[in-house]
Amino acid sequence: MSDYIYKRCLQLSISNIVDMGSGQGYLDHILVHQYGMHVVGVDCNHIQTCGAQKQHIKLSNLSDPRLNTNGSLQTLERRIEPHEGFMDIVNTLDTKKWMLCGLHTCGDLAVSCLKQFLESDCSSLVFVGCCYNLLTQFPLSKHFSACHLSQTEKMLACQAPTEWDPSQAVLNYRKHFYRALLQLVLKQETTMDLETAKVGKMPPDAFLNGFVDYATMALSKLNQSVDPSVLEQYLSYYDREKEIAVFWTLRSVMANTIESMILLDWKYFLEEQLPNAKVDLFPLFDQSISPRNMVISCSK
């Protein structure tokens, strides 16, 4: 991503960049110490910003001819909400021409980037979103105004079927089957409110010795108890495990479609607000590096 940002900056004669959700500054260090850019890295996590600054000082003190000494890095610890501006950050720049970027902007941080780009004098925007399950604002565009995504659907958009390990497929399907069967047990053998039945993550050994052992451990987490002899009666459902496997496979196939809806909503939103601007949406790097590889790029 650093190479693409640098080339875009060259095309637009930009040397100043604001990186939203910069974390420990992995992207920023390359932009500063390899390409000589002037970067302001913004992140809400104190540990992350401190780590970024320490690494920058370390790199700045190295006498390595391969490092570019013309760049600079500022780190700011701050949380940016979608409804607020950040002109105080922009005012730290030496120029009015600057780029807003973000690598894996988490949830609503992507929305913040879009809105800040539109409402400020920012010249260019380049970002890759992620963590769609944390989005609270969808849709943004008129194009998708009639659409709604549930929390479950947003969680599904985070799935990456291309990254599935075939050797783990049987175990993963079994986990879903056991949880579905447990739901039936809870409904028929307990008085628990199924809406509040949140088992949470189970240890790996919970799935090694069959459903009865799994159910006993899961029920214990829910402060429920069912006699093992009763649980054994549910083994008659084992021939329906393949139905769960088919369901979860078809469900996961929808992941890319839902992610595409979110990405296109962002693209159309920019195009609606900036009719004369060219908005690019394309895979910036291979999915084997990261499943979230779609970049949105736009210049005013």
Side-chain angles (χ1 to χ4, degrees):
M1 183 166 177
S2 59
D3 183 62
Y4 176 77
I5 289 175
Y6 176 62
K7 288 177 180 176
R8 288 294 294 154
C9 286
L10 284 181
Q11 293 171 354
L12 300 169
S13 300
I14 293 175
S15 60
N16 289 267
I17 300 171
V18 175
D19 179 13
M20 300 298 293
S22 55
Q24 295 208 24
Y26 298 117
L27 174 62
D28 300 344
H29 297 318
I30 297 176
L31 292 172
V32 171
H33 297 285
Q34 181 173 330
Y35 295 117
M37 309 300 289
H38 301 286
V39 181
V40 178
V42 185
D43 199 278
C44 65
N45 187 287
H46 178 70
I47 295 176
Q48 300 277 49
T49 52
C50 286
Q53 189 59 41
K54 287 180 181 178
Q55 182 64 14
H56 171 61
I57 293 172
K58 179 179 178 181
L59 290 170
S60 299
N61 290 332
L62 291 177
S63 7
D64 189 333
R66 295 172 299 176
L67 296 178
N68 194 313
T69 59
N70 296 320
S72 65
L73 175 64
Q74 299 179 57
T75 56
L76 294 177
E77 183 183 333
R78 175 166 168 191
R79 184 180 183 87
I80 302 295
E81 302 293 347
H83 60 273
E84 68 171 325
F86 55 93
M87 288 310 299
D88 57 320
I89 297 175
V90 176
N91 290 336
T92 65
L93 304 176
D94 295 330
T95 178
K96 289 293 184 181
K97 199 166 188 181
W98 54 283
M99 172 185 284
L100 179 61
C101 78
L103 175 57
H104 293 149
T105 50
C106 188
D108 279 340
L109 186 57
V111 178
S112 294
C113 286
L114 289 166
K115 292 186 176 181
Q116 299 302 336
F117 171 65
L118 293 171
E119 296 169 6
S120 69
D121 59 359
C122 177
S123 302
S124 181
L125 172 69
V126 175
F127 80 96
V128 176
C130 76
C131 303
Y132 306 124
N133 57 303
L134 298 178
L135 281 172
T136 63
Q137 299 188 47
F138 178 90
L140 297 178
S141 68
K142 295 177 182 177
H143 188 89
F144 284 100
S145 60
C147 297
H148 169 75
L149 291 179
S150 68
Q151 187 59 33
T152 299
E153 289 163 337
K154 286 185 283 188
M155 286 285 292
L156 184 56
C158 299
Q159 292 284 325
T162 57
E163 295 297 298
W164 282 9
D165 183 351
S167 66
Q168 297 296 313
V170 173
L171 177 59
N172 288 332
Y173 289 140
R174 179 143 300 169
K175 289 178 179 180
H176 292 305
F177 172 63
Y178 280 2
R179 182 60 184 87
L181 199 51
L182 177 67
Q183 193 77 356
L184 186 61
V185 171
L186 292 171
K187 180 179 180 180
Q188 297 185 165
E189 309 296 340
T190 75
T191 59
M192 187 174 186
D193 180 4
L194 298 184
E195 295 296 324
T196 63
K198 299 187 185 300
V199 179
K201 188 174 182 179
M202 296 288 287
D205 59 356
F207 304 93
L208 299 180
N209 299 312
F211 174 71
V212 174
D213 275 11
Y214 163 82
T216 301
M217 294 176 65
L219 289 166
S220 176
K221 290 185 67 174
L222 296 171
N223 296 318
Q224 301 291 318
S225 178
V226 176
D227 190 276
S229 62
V230 175
L231 293 175
E232 288 177 359
Q233 298 174 19
Y234 288 83
L235 300 182
S236 61
Y237 287 93
Y238 258 57
D239 62 345
R240 302 193 64 181
E241 182 175 357
K242 59 181 177 293
E243 296 178 35
I244 297 295
V246 171
F247 170 79
W248 277 93
T249 300
L250 292 174
R251 181 180 183 272
S252 297
V253 168
M254 295 297 296
N256 289 339
T257 300
I258 299 174
E259 181 184 19
S260 296
M261 286 178 61
I262 294 171
L263 294 170
L264 286 171
D265 177 54
W266 293 344
K267 181 179 188 292
Y268 292 148
F269 177 62
L270 286 174
E271 291 176 340
E272 290 166 2
Q273 302 300 314
L274 301 171
N276 297 321
K278 183 176 183 293
V279 184
D280 294 313
L281 172 63
F282 62 93
L284 184 60
F285 40 81
D286 194 276
Q287 279 193 314
S288 62
I289 299 175
S290 171
R292 306 282 82 84
N293 67 334
M294 299 297 293
V295 66
I296 287 184
S297 178
C298 180
S299 299
K300 293 176 181 174

